[in-house]
Amino acid sequence: MRQKSVLLVCRDNAFLSQFAEAYINGRSATDLRAFSAGLEPGERVSPKLKRMLDKTGLSAEGLHPKSWQIFAQPFAPDLDQVICFDKPTGVAMEAAFPGRVVRSYKAYLSSLAQSSPSDDRSVAALSGLLQMTDLIMQDC
């Protein structure tokens, strides 16, 4: 069986998509490989990324912001799915990955953040991230 691959895209590729990439690659069987990228990549990953990954026993080693456009190049991995945490921008992204921009998890994340009491936000955020990445693994 061929290993499936998924590209996880968020605005700056500094936290959310990086977390999902590390979690999926650290927790999934060898049948799924995750990559992450940003619509407008930041200069570095968020400091809270390492803290959240430490809480789950995962490493931030090798994670760095990068543009989704590198995954549209001929040498890029063959992607089965592209999942956006923000609304995909423009025709260029959808043209680069025809039929593979499958869904946005933004509404799920927004409702989760709004339902969490402020004193429990970091716990709720971690719980939400884990639930979301588990859903992604099931969907792939």
Side-chain angles (χ1 to χ4, degrees), residues 61-101:
E61 185 177 335
L63 297 178
H64 61 280
K66 56 207 152 298
S67 172
W68 67 270
Q69 293 170 331
I70 66 168
F71 292 93
Q73 301 299 317
F75 58 82
D78 185 25
L79 300 170
D80 294 295
Q81 292 190 41
V82 178
I83 295 174
C84 295
F85 299 119
D86 289 300
K87 186 176 179 180
T89 58
V91 176
M93 187 173 185
E94 292 186 18
F97 308 112
R100 290 177 277 178
V101 178

PDB file of all heavy atoms in Angstrom, residues 61-101:
ATOM      1  N   GLU A  61      11.956  19.606  16.466  1.00  0.00           N
ATOM      2  CA  GLU A  61      13.179  19.564  15.649  1.00  0.00           C
ATOM      3  C   GLU A  61      12.836  19.495  14.159  1.00  0.00           C
ATOM      4  O   GLU A  61      11.984  18.716  13.738  1.00  0.00           O
ATOM      5  CB  GLU A  61      14.020  18.337  16.018  1.00  0.00           C
ATOM      6  CG  GLU A  61      15.346  18.289  15.304  1.00  0.00           C
ATOM      7  CD  GLU A  61      16.195  17.112  15.741  1.00  0.00           C
ATOM      8  OE1 GLU A  61      16.004  16.619  16.866  1.00  0.00           O
ATOM      9  OE2 GLU A  61      17.046  16.692  14.958  1.00  0.00           O
ATOM     10  N   GLY A  62      13.480  20.349  13.390  1.00  0.00           N
ATOM     11  CA  GLY A  62      13.293  20.376  11.946  1.00  0.00           C
ATOM     12  C   GLY A  62      12.082  21.158  11.464  1.00  0.00           C
ATOM     13  O   GLY A  62      11.897  21.309  10.263  1.00  0.00           O
ATOM     14  N   LEU A  63      11.261  21.657  12.376  1.00  0.00           N
ATOM     15  CA  LEU A  63      10.085  22.425  11.962  1.00  0.00           C
ATOM     16  C   LEU A  63      10.466  23.877  11.710  1.00  0.00           C
ATOM     17  O   LEU A  63      11.145  24.487  12.531  1.00  0.00           O
ATOM     18  CB  LEU A  63       8.990  22.349  13.030  1.00  0.00           C
ATOM     19  CG  LEU A  63       8.416  20.967  13.316  1.00  0.00           C
ATOM     20  CD1 LEU A  63       7.377  21.037  14.426  1.00  0.00           C
ATOM     21  CD2 LEU A  63       7.822  20.346  12.064  1.00  0.00           C
ATOM     22  N   HIS A  64      10.050  24.405  10.585  1.00  0.00           N
ATOM     23  CA  HIS A  64      10.297  25.803  10.243  1.00  0.00           C
ATOM     24  C   HIS A  64       9.239  26.259   9.238  1.00  0.00           C
ATOM     25  O   HIS A  64       8.742  25.451   8.461  1.00  0.00           O
ATOM     26  CB  HIS A  64      11.712  25.994   9.665  1.00  0.00           C
ATOM     27  CG  HIS A  64      11.926  25.218   8.406  1.00  0.00           C
ATOM     28  ND1 HIS A  64      12.216  23.868   8.393  1.00  0.00           N
ATOM     29  CD2 HIS A  64      11.872  25.605   7.117  1.00  0.00           C
ATOM     30  CE1 HIS A  64      12.337  23.452   7.138  1.00  0.00           C
ATOM     31  NE2 HIS A  64      12.123  24.478   6.345  1.00  0.00           N
ATOM     32  N   PRO A  65       8.874  27.543   9.276  1.00  0.00           N
ATOM     33  CA  PRO A  65       7.857  28.047   8.339  1.00  0.00           C
ATOM     34  C   PRO A  65       8.323  27.970   6.887  1.00  0.00           C
ATOM     35  O   PRO A  65       9.491  28.205   6.579  1.00  0.00           O
ATOM     36  CB  PRO A  65       7.679  29.507   8.762  1.00  0.00           C
ATOM     37  CG  PRO A  65       8.114  29.540  10.187  1.00  0.00           C
ATOM     38  CD  PRO A  65       9.251  28.552  10.255  1.00  0.00           C
ATOM     39  N   LYS A  66       7.389  27.608   6.023  1.00  0.00           N
ATOM     40  CA  LYS A  66       7.670  27.533   4.590  1.00  0.00           C
ATOM     41  C   LYS A  66       6.399  27.813   3.808  1.00  0.00           C
ATOM     42  O   LYS A  66       5.299  27.657   4.340  1.00  0.00           O
ATOM     43  CB  LYS A  66       8.269  26.183   4.211  1.00  0.00           C
ATOM     44  CG  LYS A  66       7.430  24.990   4.595  1.00  0.00           C
ATOM     45  CD  LYS A  66       8.309  23.773   4.814  1.00  0.00           C
ATOM     46  CE  LYS A  66       7.743  22.784   5.776  1.00  0.00           C
ATOM     47  NZ  LYS A  66       7.525  23.193   7.130  1.00  0.00           N
ATOM     48  N   SER A  67       6.545  28.201   2.584  1.00  0.00           N
ATOM     49  CA  SER A  67       5.407  28.550   1.732  1.00  0.00           C
ATOM     50  C   SER A  67       4.768  27.299   1.132  1.00  0.00           C
ATOM     51  O   SER A  67       5.462  26.339   0.776  1.00  0.00           O
ATOM     52  CB  SER A  67       5.872  29.457   0.597  1.00  0.00           C
ATOM     53  OG  SER A  67       4.821  29.659  -0.328  1.00  0.00           O
ATOM     54  N   TRP A  68       3.456  27.365   0.949  1.00  0.00           N
ATOM     55  CA  TRP A  68       2.746  26.275   0.281  1.00  0.00           C
ATOM     56  C   TRP A  68       3.234  26.095  -1.147  1.00  0.00           C
ATOM     57  O   TRP A  68       3.137  25.013  -1.721  1.00  0.00           O
ATOM     58  CB  TRP A  68       1.234  26.526   0.297  1.00  0.00           C
ATOM     59  CG  TRP A  68       0.813  27.704  -0.535  1.00  0.00           C
ATOM     60  CD1 TRP A  68       0.696  28.997  -0.114  1.00  0.00           C
ATOM     61  CD2 TRP A  68       0.484  27.708  -1.920  1.00  0.00           C
ATOM     62  NE1 TRP A  68       0.299  29.806  -1.141  1.00  0.00           N
ATOM     63  CE2 TRP A  68       0.167  29.032  -2.271  1.00  0.00           C
ATOM     64  CE3 TRP A  68       0.418  26.728  -2.900  1.00  0.00           C
ATOM     65  CZ2 TRP A  68      -0.203  29.395  -3.563  1.00  0.00           C
ATOM     66  CZ3 TRP A  68       0.050  27.095  -4.192  1.00  0.00           C
ATOM     67  CH2 TRP A  68      -0.253  28.404  -4.509  1.00  0.00           C
ATOM     68  N   GLN A  69       3.793  27.146  -1.722  1.00  0.00           N
ATOM     69  CA  GLN A  69       4.207  27.105  -3.123  1.00  0.00           C
ATOM     70  C   GLN A  69       5.335  26.106  -3.389  1.00  0.00           C
ATOM     71  O   GLN A  69       5.439  25.597  -4.495  1.00  0.00           O
ATOM     72  CB  GLN A  69       4.589  28.505  -3.596  1.00  0.00           C
ATOM     73  CG  GLN A  69       3.380  29.412  -3.631  1.00  0.00           C
ATOM     74  CD  GLN A  69       3.733  30.862  -3.861  1.00  0.00           C
ATOM     75  OE1 GLN A  69       4.802  31.321  -3.498  1.00  0.00           O
ATOM     76  NE2 GLN A  69       2.809  31.590  -4.458  1.00  0.00           N
ATOM     77  N   ILE A  70       6.137  25.796  -2.369  1.00  0.00           N
ATOM     78  CA  ILE A  70       7.196  24.801  -2.612  1.00  0.00           C
ATOM     79  C   ILE A  70       6.601  23.413  -2.860  1.00  0.00           C
ATOM     80  O   ILE A  70       7.216  22.581  -3.516  1.00  0.00           O
ATOM     81  CB  ILE A  70       8.252  24.744  -1.482  1.00  0.00           C
ATOM     82  CG1 ILE A  70       7.645  24.245  -0.177  1.00  0.00           C
ATOM     83  CG2 ILE A  70       8.942  26.077  -1.292  1.00  0.00           C
ATOM     84  CD1 ILE A  70       8.686  23.900   0.877  1.00  0.00           C
ATOM     85  N   PHE A  71       5.386  23.188  -2.383  1.00  0.00           N
ATOM     86  CA  PHE A  71       4.726  21.895  -2.588  1.00  0.00           C
ATOM     87  C   PHE A  71       4.028  21.813  -3.943  1.00  0.00           C
ATOM     88  O   PHE A  71       3.504  20.760  -4.303  1.00  0.00           O
ATOM     89  CB  PHE A  71       3.751  21.612  -1.448  1.00  0.00           C
ATOM     90  CG  PHE A  71       4.461  21.380  -0.149  1.00  0.00           C
ATOM     91  CD1 PHE A  71       4.682  22.424   0.738  1.00  0.00           C
ATOM     92  CD2 PHE A  71       4.958  20.127   0.172  1.00  0.00           C
ATOM     93  CE1 PHE A  71       5.359  22.225   1.929  1.00  0.00           C
ATOM     94  CE2 PHE A  71       5.652  19.914   1.352  1.00  0.00           C
ATOM     95  CZ  PHE A  71       5.855  20.961   2.232  1.00  0.00           C
ATOM     96  N   ALA A  72       4.036  22.917  -4.678  1.00  0.00           N
ATOM     97  CA  ALA A  72       3.477  22.933  -6.028  1.00  0.00           C
ATOM     98  C   ALA A  72       4.565  22.727  -7.086  1.00  0.00           C
ATOM     99  O   ALA A  72       4.263  22.670  -8.276  1.00  0.00           O
ATOM    100  CB  ALA A  72       2.750  24.254  -6.276  1.00  0.00           C
ATOM    101  N   GLN A  73       5.803  22.602  -6.659  1.00  0.00           N
ATOM    102  CA  GLN A  73       6.927  22.411  -7.574  1.00  0.00           C
ATOM    103  C   GLN A  73       6.985  20.954  -8.053  1.00  0.00           C
ATOM    104  O   GLN A  73       6.527  20.047  -7.354  1.00  0.00           O
ATOM    105  CB  GLN A  73       8.239  22.783  -6.883  1.00  0.00           C
ATOM    106  CG  GLN A  73       8.295  24.206  -6.383  1.00  0.00           C
ATOM    107  CD  GLN A  73       8.146  25.212  -7.503  1.00  0.00           C
ATOM    108  OE1 GLN A  73       8.732  25.070  -8.568  1.00  0.00           O
ATOM    109  NE2 GLN A  73       7.342  26.231  -7.266  1.00  0.00           N
ATOM    110  N   PRO A  74       7.597  20.721  -9.201  1.00  0.00           N
ATOM    111  CA  PRO A  74       7.667  19.350  -9.743  1.00  0.00           C
ATOM    112  C   PRO A  74       8.394  18.352  -8.827  1.00  0.00           C
ATOM    113  O   PRO A  74       8.080  17.178  -8.836  1.00  0.00           O
ATOM    114  CB  PRO A  74       8.440  19.519 -11.060  1.00  0.00           C
ATOM    115  CG  PRO A  74       8.329  20.954 -11.401  1.00  0.00           C
ATOM    116  CD  PRO A  74       8.156  21.707 -10.120  1.00  0.00           C
ATOM    117  N   PHE A  75       9.342  18.818  -8.030  1.00  0.00           N
ATOM    118  CA  PHE A  75      10.113  17.931  -7.164  1.00  0.00           C
ATOM    119  C   PHE A  75       9.434  17.663  -5.821  1.00  0.00           C
ATOM    120  O   PHE A  75       9.919  16.877  -5.014  1.00  0.00           O
ATOM    121  CB  PHE A  75      11.500  18.531  -6.900  1.00  0.00           C
ATOM    122  CG  PHE A  75      11.448  19.903  -6.280  1.00  0.00           C
ATOM    123  CD1 PHE A  75      11.257  20.071  -4.919  1.00  0.00           C
ATOM    124  CD2 PHE A  75      11.563  21.040  -7.075  1.00  0.00           C
ATOM    125  CE1 PHE A  75      11.186  21.337  -4.350  1.00  0.00           C
ATOM    126  CE2 PHE A  75      11.503  22.309  -6.515  1.00  0.00           C
ATOM    127  CZ  PHE A  75      11.313  22.446  -5.144  1.00  0.00           C
ATOM    128  N   ALA A  76       8.313  18.285  -5.572  1.00  0.00           N
ATOM    129  CA  ALA A  76       7.618  18.179  -4.281  1.00  0.00           C
ATOM    130  C   ALA A  76       6.972  16.807  -4.122  1.00  0.00           C
ATOM    131  O   ALA A  76       6.719  16.103  -5.110  1.00  0.00           O
ATOM    132  CB  ALA A  76       6.558  19.269  -4.185  1.00  0.00           C
ATOM    133  N   PRO A  77       6.694  16.426  -2.882  1.00  0.00           N
ATOM    134  CA  PRO A  77       5.988  15.161  -2.649  1.00  0.00           C
ATOM    135  C   PRO A  77       4.633  15.148  -3.353  1.00  0.00           C
ATOM    136  O   PRO A  77       4.000  16.186  -3.519  1.00  0.00           O
ATOM    137  CB  PRO A  77       5.780  15.132  -1.130  1.00  0.00           C
ATOM    138  CG  PRO A  77       6.719  16.135  -0.572  1.00  0.00           C
ATOM    139  CD  PRO A  77       6.973  17.142  -1.639  1.00  0.00           C
ATOM    140  N   ASP A  78       4.192  13.981  -3.767  1.00  0.00           N
ATOM    141  CA  ASP A  78       2.883  13.820  -4.385  1.00  0.00           C
ATOM    142  C   ASP A  78       1.845  13.840  -3.269  1.00  0.00           C
ATOM    143  O   ASP A  78       1.813  12.954  -2.423  1.00  0.00           O
ATOM    144  CB  ASP A  78       2.833  12.493  -5.141  1.00  0.00           C
ATOM    145  CG  ASP A  78       1.539  12.314  -5.904  1.00  0.00           C
ATOM    146  OD1 ASP A  78       0.903  13.325  -6.261  1.00  0.00           O
ATOM    147  OD2 ASP A  78       1.163  11.155  -6.136  1.00  0.00           O
ATOM    148  N   LEU A  79       1.030  14.871  -3.245  1.00  0.00           N
ATOM    149  CA  LEU A  79       0.063  15.063  -2.164  1.00  0.00           C
ATOM    150  C   LEU A  79      -1.287  14.440  -2.498  1.00  0.00           C
ATOM    151  O   LEU A  79      -1.793  14.605  -3.605  1.00  0.00           O
ATOM    152  CB  LEU A  79      -0.127  16.553  -1.892  1.00  0.00           C
ATOM    153  CG  LEU A  79       1.134  17.317  -1.484  1.00  0.00           C
ATOM    154  CD1 LEU A  79       0.868  18.805  -1.487  1.00  0.00           C
ATOM    155  CD2 LEU A  79       1.626  16.840  -0.131  1.00  0.00           C
ATOM    156  N   ASP A  80      -1.856  13.757  -1.520  1.00  0.00           N
ATOM    157  CA  ASP A  80      -3.189  13.193  -1.685  1.00  0.00           C
ATOM    158  C   ASP A  80      -4.263  14.183  -1.259  1.00  0.00           C
ATOM    159  O   ASP A  80      -5.350  14.198  -1.817  1.00  0.00           O
ATOM    160  CB  ASP A  80      -3.322  11.912  -0.855  1.00  0.00           C
ATOM    161  CG  ASP A  80      -2.405  10.829  -1.380  1.00  0.00           C
ATOM    162  OD1 ASP A  80      -2.614  10.386  -2.522  1.00  0.00           O
ATOM    163  OD2 ASP A  80      -1.456  10.445  -0.668  1.00  0.00           O
ATOM    164  N   GLN A  81      -3.963  14.976  -0.236  1.00  0.00           N
ATOM    165  CA  GLN A  81      -4.930  15.948   0.269  1.00  0.00           C
ATOM    166  C   GLN A  81      -4.209  17.217   0.697  1.00  0.00           C
ATOM    167  O   GLN A  81      -3.062  17.175   1.115  1.00  0.00           O
ATOM    168  CB  GLN A  81      -5.694  15.400   1.475  1.00  0.00           C
ATOM    169  CG  GLN A  81      -6.617  14.263   1.142  1.00  0.00           C
ATOM    170  CD  GLN A  81      -7.513  13.918   2.309  1.00  0.00           C
ATOM    171  OE1 GLN A  81      -8.014  14.793   2.998  1.00  0.00           O
ATOM    172  NE2 GLN A  81      -7.715  12.630   2.520  1.00  0.00           N
ATOM    173  N   VAL A  82      -4.922  18.326   0.585  1.00  0.00           N
ATOM    174  CA  VAL A  82      -4.465  19.605   1.106  1.00  0.00           C
ATOM    175  C   VAL A  82      -5.568  20.099   2.031  1.00  0.00           C
ATOM    176  O   VAL A  82      -6.721  20.229   1.618  1.00  0.00           O
ATOM    177  CB  VAL A  82      -4.201  20.635  -0.013  1.00  0.00           C
ATOM    178  CG1 VAL A  82      -3.774  21.970   0.576  1.00  0.00           C
ATOM    179  CG2 VAL A  82      -3.153  20.103  -0.986  1.00  0.00           C
ATOM    180  N   ILE A  83      -5.219  20.341   3.283  1.00  0.00           N
ATOM    181  CA  ILE A  83      -6.186  20.784   4.281  1.00  0.00           C
ATOM    182  C   ILE A  83      -5.798  22.180   4.738  1.00  0.00           C
ATOM    183  O   ILE A  83      -4.663  22.404   5.147  1.00  0.00           O
ATOM    184  CB  ILE A  83      -6.234  19.810   5.471  1.00  0.00           C
ATOM    185  CG1 ILE A  83      -6.758  18.454   4.981  1.00  0.00           C
ATOM    186  CG2 ILE A  83      -7.098  20.370   6.594  1.00  0.00           C
ATOM    187  CD1 ILE A  83      -6.719  17.366   6.009  1.00  0.00           C
ATOM    188  N   CYS A  84      -6.743  23.101   4.648  1.00  0.00           N
ATOM    189  CA  CYS A  84      -6.486  24.490   5.019  1.00  0.00           C
ATOM    190  C   CYS A  84      -7.153  24.819   6.346  1.00  0.00           C
ATOM    191  O   CYS A  84      -8.319  24.504   6.548  1.00  0.00           O
ATOM    192  CB  CYS A  84      -7.015  25.432   3.949  1.00  0.00           C
ATOM    193  SG  CYS A  84      -6.155  25.240   2.393  1.00  0.00           S
ATOM    194  N   PHE A  85      -6.405  25.463   7.224  1.00  0.00           N
ATOM    195  CA  PHE A  85      -6.947  25.934   8.487  1.00  0.00           C
ATOM    196  C   PHE A  85      -7.454  27.361   8.351  1.00  0.00           C
ATOM    197  O   PHE A  85      -8.126  27.864   9.226  1.00  0.00           O
ATOM    198  CB  PHE A  85      -5.899  25.854   9.595  1.00  0.00           C
ATOM    199  CG  PHE A  85      -5.434  24.449   9.840  1.00  0.00           C
ATOM    200  CD1 PHE A  85      -4.117  24.103   9.672  1.00  0.00           C
ATOM    201  CD2 PHE A  85      -6.327  23.476  10.239  1.00  0.00           C
ATOM    202  CE1 PHE A  85      -3.697  22.809   9.905  1.00  0.00           C
ATOM    203  CE2 PHE A  85      -5.912  22.178  10.474  1.00  0.00           C
ATOM    204  CZ  PHE A  85      -4.584  21.838  10.307  1.00  0.00           C
ATOM    205  N   ASP A  86      -7.100  28.019   7.273  1.00  0.00           N
ATOM    206  CA  ASP A  86      -7.618  29.330   6.909  1.00  0.00           C
ATOM    207  C   ASP A  86      -8.278  29.162   5.555  1.00  0.00           C
ATOM    208  O   ASP A  86      -8.013  28.197   4.842  1.00  0.00           O
ATOM    209  CB  ASP A  86      -6.490  30.365   6.784  1.00  0.00           C
ATOM    210  CG  ASP A  86      -5.901  30.738   8.124  1.00  0.00           C
ATOM    211  OD1 ASP A  86      -6.655  31.234   8.974  1.00  0.00           O
ATOM    212  OD2 ASP A  86      -4.691  30.536   8.326  1.00  0.00           O
ATOM    213  N   LYS A  87      -9.092  30.121   5.183  1.00  0.00           N
ATOM    214  CA  LYS A  87      -9.708  30.065   3.861  1.00  0.00           C
ATOM    215  C   LYS A  87      -8.601  30.147   2.806  1.00  0.00           C
ATOM    216  O   LYS A  87      -7.769  31.044   2.851  1.00  0.00           O
ATOM    217  CB  LYS A  87     -10.675  31.238   3.704  1.00  0.00           C
ATOM    218  CG  LYS A  87     -11.463  31.197   2.436  1.00  0.00           C
ATOM    219  CD  LYS A  87     -12.452  32.336   2.404  1.00  0.00           C
ATOM    220  CE  LYS A  87     -13.232  32.301   1.129  1.00  0.00           C
ATOM    221  NZ  LYS A  87     -14.205  33.381   1.065  1.00  0.00           N
ATOM    222  N   PRO A  88      -8.559  29.183   1.863  1.00  0.00           N
ATOM    223  CA  PRO A  88      -7.529  29.247   0.820  1.00  0.00           C
ATOM    224  C   PRO A  88      -7.636  30.560   0.045  1.00  0.00           C
ATOM    225  O   PRO A  88      -8.734  31.032  -0.216  1.00  0.00           O
ATOM    226  CB  PRO A  88      -7.855  28.066  -0.088  1.00  0.00           C
ATOM    227  CG  PRO A  88      -8.697  27.161   0.734  1.00  0.00           C
ATOM    228  CD  PRO A  88      -9.429  28.036   1.711  1.00  0.00           C
ATOM    229  N   THR A  89      -6.493  31.131  -0.270  1.00  0.00           N
ATOM    230  CA  THR A  89      -6.503  32.414  -0.974  1.00  0.00           C
ATOM    231  C   THR A  89      -6.238  32.220  -2.459  1.00  0.00           C
ATOM    232  O   THR A  89      -5.275  31.587  -2.845  1.00  0.00           O
ATOM    233  CB  THR A  89      -5.440  33.368  -0.405  1.00  0.00           C
ATOM    234  OG1 THR A  89      -4.166  32.744  -0.515  1.00  0.00           O
ATOM    235  CG2 THR A  89      -5.710  33.699   1.038  1.00  0.00           C
ATOM    236  N   GLY A  90      -7.116  32.771  -3.230  1.00  0.00           N
ATOM    237  CA  GLY A  90      -6.899  32.854  -4.659  1.00  0.00           C
ATOM    238  C   GLY A  90      -7.015  31.550  -5.417  1.00  0.00           C
ATOM    239  O   GLY A  90      -7.131  30.462  -4.861  1.00  0.00           O
ATOM    240  N   VAL A  91      -6.969  31.709  -6.705  1.00  0.00           N
ATOM    241  CA  VAL A  91      -7.091  30.603  -7.632  1.00  0.00           C
ATOM    242  C   VAL A  91      -5.790  29.818  -7.708  1.00  0.00           C
ATOM    243  O   VAL A  91      -5.802  28.623  -7.978  1.00  0.00           O
ATOM    244  CB  VAL A  91      -7.479  31.151  -9.027  1.00  0.00           C
ATOM    245  CG1 VAL A  91      -7.524  30.061 -10.059  1.00  0.00           C
ATOM    246  CG2 VAL A  91      -8.802  31.880  -8.951  1.00  0.00           C
ATOM    247  N   ALA A  92      -4.666  30.470  -7.442  1.00  0.00           N
ATOM    248  CA  ALA A  92      -3.359  29.828  -7.609  1.00  0.00           C
ATOM    249  C   ALA A  92      -3.226  28.548  -6.799  1.00  0.00           C
ATOM    250  O   ALA A  92      -2.760  27.529  -7.302  1.00  0.00           O
ATOM    251  CB  ALA A  92      -2.248  30.804  -7.238  1.00  0.00           C
ATOM    252  N   MET A  93      -3.657  28.575  -5.546  1.00  0.00           N
ATOM    253  CA  MET A  93      -3.525  27.393  -4.704  1.00  0.00           C
ATOM    254  C   MET A  93      -4.414  26.260  -5.202  1.00  0.00           C
ATOM    255  O   MET A  93      -3.982  25.115  -5.275  1.00  0.00           O
ATOM    256  CB  MET A  93      -3.850  27.733  -3.253  1.00  0.00           C
ATOM    257  CG  MET A  93      -3.583  26.602  -2.316  1.00  0.00           C
ATOM    258  SD  MET A  93      -3.796  27.170  -0.631  1.00  0.00           S
ATOM    259  CE  MET A  93      -3.286  25.700   0.211  1.00  0.00           C
ATOM    260  N   GLU A  94      -5.646  26.571  -5.553  1.00  0.00           N
ATOM    261  CA  GLU A  94      -6.538  25.532  -6.040  1.00  0.00           C
ATOM    262  C   GLU A  94      -6.090  25.003  -7.394  1.00  0.00           C
ATOM    263  O   GLU A  94      -6.258  23.818  -7.681  1.00  0.00           O
ATOM    264  CB  GLU A  94      -7.971  26.043  -6.080  1.00  0.00           C
ATOM    265  CG  GLU A  94      -8.481  26.279  -4.659  1.00  0.00           C
ATOM    266  CD  GLU A  94      -9.939  26.646  -4.586  1.00  0.00           C
ATOM    267  OE1 GLU A  94     -10.665  26.405  -5.573  1.00  0.00           O
ATOM    268  OE2 GLU A  94     -10.346  27.150  -3.536  1.00  0.00           O
ATOM    269  N   ALA A  95      -5.485  25.856  -8.224  1.00  0.00           N
ATOM    270  CA  ALA A  95      -4.962  25.403  -9.514  1.00  0.00           C
ATOM    271  C   ALA A  95      -3.743  24.499  -9.320  1.00  0.00           C
ATOM    272  O   ALA A  95      -3.541  23.543 -10.073  1.00  0.00           O
ATOM    273  CB  ALA A  95      -4.593  26.600 -10.389  1.00  0.00           C
ATOM    274  N   ALA A  96      -2.941  24.782  -8.306  1.00  0.00           N
ATOM    275  CA  ALA A  96      -1.746  23.982  -8.044  1.00  0.00           C
ATOM    276  C   ALA A  96      -2.096  22.591  -7.527  1.00  0.00           C
ATOM    277  O   ALA A  96      -1.354  21.637  -7.742  1.00  0.00           O
ATOM    278  CB  ALA A  96      -0.841  24.698  -7.042  1.00  0.00           C
ATOM    279  N   PHE A  97      -3.219  22.480  -6.840  1.00  0.00           N
ATOM    280  CA  PHE A  97      -3.634  21.208  -6.244  1.00  0.00           C
ATOM    281  C   PHE A  97      -5.069  20.881  -6.654  1.00  0.00           C
ATOM    282  O   PHE A  97      -5.964  20.820  -5.817  1.00  0.00           O
ATOM    283  CB  PHE A  97      -3.541  21.271  -4.718  1.00  0.00           C
ATOM    284  CG  PHE A  97      -2.209  21.728  -4.211  1.00  0.00           C
ATOM    285  CD1 PHE A  97      -2.084  22.954  -3.579  1.00  0.00           C
ATOM    286  CD2 PHE A  97      -1.079  20.947  -4.348  1.00  0.00           C
ATOM    287  CE1 PHE A  97      -0.866  23.391  -3.097  1.00  0.00           C
ATOM    288  CE2 PHE A  97       0.152  21.366  -3.876  1.00  0.00           C
ATOM    289  CZ  PHE A  97       0.258  22.595  -3.251  1.00  0.00           C
ATOM    290  N   PRO A  98      -5.319  20.650  -7.941  1.00  0.00           N
ATOM    291  CA  PRO A  98      -6.699  20.441  -8.396  1.00  0.00           C
ATOM    292  C   PRO A  98      -7.351  19.246  -7.707  1.00  0.00           C
ATOM    293  O   PRO A  98      -6.791  18.156  -7.659  1.00  0.00           O
ATOM    294  CB  PRO A  98      -6.553  20.215  -9.894  1.00  0.00           C
ATOM    295  CG  PRO A  98      -5.134  19.831 -10.112  1.00  0.00           C
ATOM    296  CD  PRO A  98      -4.346  20.463  -9.004  1.00  0.00           C
ATOM    297  N   GLY A  99      -8.514  19.512  -7.137  1.00  0.00           N
ATOM    298  CA  GLY A  99      -9.275  18.449  -6.501  1.00  0.00           C
ATOM    299  C   GLY A  99      -8.749  17.983  -5.159  1.00  0.00           C
ATOM    300  O   GLY A  99      -9.265  17.049  -4.584  1.00  0.00           O
ATOM    301  N   ARG A 100      -7.720  18.644  -4.644  1.00  0.00           N
ATOM    302  CA  ARG A 100      -7.138  18.162  -3.398  1.00  0.00           C
ATOM    303  C   ARG A 100      -7.284  19.113  -2.223  1.00  0.00           C
ATOM    304  O   ARG A 100      -6.874  18.785  -1.136  1.00  0.00           O
ATOM    305  CB  ARG A 100      -5.658  17.834  -3.609  1.00  0.00           C
ATOM    306  CG  ARG A 100      -5.494  16.599  -4.489  1.00  0.00           C
ATOM    307  CD  ARG A 100      -4.069  16.333  -4.745  1.00  0.00           C
ATOM    308  NE  ARG A 100      -3.666  17.186  -5.866  1.00  0.00           N
ATOM    309  CZ  ARG A 100      -2.450  17.243  -6.350  1.00  0.00           C
ATOM    310  NH1 ARG A 100      -1.493  16.543  -5.805  1.00  0.00           N
ATOM    311  NH2 ARG A 100      -2.167  18.013  -7.357  1.00  0.00           N
ATOM    312  N   VAL A 101      -7.810  20.297  -2.410  1.00  0.00           N
ATOM    313  CA  VAL A 101      -8.087  21.182  -1.276  1.00  0.00           C
ATOM    314  C   VAL A 101      -9.425  20.715  -0.725  1.00  0.00           C
ATOM    315  O   VAL A 101     -10.470  21.030  -1.263  1.00  0.00           O
ATOM    316  CB  VAL A 101      -8.130  22.660  -1.701  1.00  0.00           C
ATOM    317  CG1 VAL A 101      -8.467  23.553  -0.518  1.00  0.00           C
ATOM    318  CG2 VAL A 101      -6.792  23.063  -2.317  1.00  0.00           C
TER     319      VAL A 101
END
